[in-house]
């Protein structure tokens, strides 16, 4: 999680060619400030952030029932593209597959540091949000049986 920005910087420096980095909004949150590095060195990196307003589906409610938002929910309608603009790169906000296609094509052709904030429906997709279900269960129990 979150290593894509460092990999994108390395790929651009090493290859000298345009790089496309695809991130979720959660992964981008771990190392998104690398947009400053990308802009400082004017690297040909296009970052697409799939923004569904949070971790997994971004629709969770606070499990304690309190008024604070769930830790799985981010600030609604965040504009990650504005971060790239703040450092001198190009920022684009898209809401349809056609807009995304056009924005990625233009960014890759331009060779400029670009971040595309791709707004997606938090309720779309099939991610379970239960990655623990992929872990094998041990047949050995710890502690006394109850």
């Amino acid at each position: 999680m979150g290593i894509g920005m460092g990999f994108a910087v390395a790929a651009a420096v090493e290859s000298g060619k345009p790089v496309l980095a695809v991130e979720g909004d959660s992964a981008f949150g771990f190392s998104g400030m690398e947009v400053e590095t990308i802009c400082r060195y004017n690297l040909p990196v296009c970052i697409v952030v799939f923004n569904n307003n949070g971790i997994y589906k971004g629709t969770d409610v606070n499990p304690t029932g309190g008024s604070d938002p769930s830790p799985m929910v981010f600030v609604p309608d965040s504009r990650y593209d504005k971060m790239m603009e703040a450092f001198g790169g190009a920022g684009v906000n898209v809401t349809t597959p056609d807009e995304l296609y056009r924005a990625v094509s233009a960014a890759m052709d331009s060779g400029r540091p670009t971040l595309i904030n791709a707004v997606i429906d938090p309720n779309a997709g099939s991610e379970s949000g239960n990655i623990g279900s992929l872990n094998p269960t041990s047949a050995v129990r710890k502690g006394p049986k109850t």
Side-chain angles (χ1 to χ4, degrees):
M1 287 277 301
I3 59 172
M5 293 296 85
F7 283 10
V9 168
V13 168
E14 194 61 28
S15 73
K17 296 181 180 180
V19 173
L20 177 64
V22 179
E23 299 269 312
D25 50 0
S26 177
F28 184 73
F30 285 98
S31 59
M33 286 306 295
E34 289 302 328
V35 297
E36 188 277 336
T37 304
I38 292 166
C39 289
R40 182 173 3 126
Y41 292 101
N42 196 34
L43 298 174
V45 176
C46 172
I47 305 159
V48 174
V49 177
F50 284 106
N51 184 350
N52 68 346
N53 292 328
I55 300 170
Y56 301 121
K57 292 190 173 207
T59 58
D60 300 282
V61 296
N62 187 332
T64 67
S67 61
D68 290 336
S70 164
M72 306 294 271
V73 175
F74 296 161
V75 173
D77 305 317
S78 294
R79 294 289 305 270
Y80 298 106
D81 52 306
K82 299 293 184 185
M83 287 178 59
M84 184 64 98
E85 290 176 359
F87 293 110
V92 183
N93 189 60
V94 301
T95 60
T96 68
D98 188 51
E99 289 174 342
L100 177 60
Y101 176 81
R102 287 194 313 265
V104 169
S105 296
M108 297 301 283
D109 288 345
S110 77
R112 287 193 63 211
T114 304
L115 189 147
I116 301 167
N117 185 56
V119 179
I120 61 173
D121 182 352
N123 294 306
S126 60
E127 185 172 24
S128 70
N130 186 11
I131 198 164
S133 67
L134 301 176
N135 295 331
T137 304
S138 174
V140 179
R141 288 182 50 102
K142 293 183 180 180
K145 292 184 180 183
T146 57

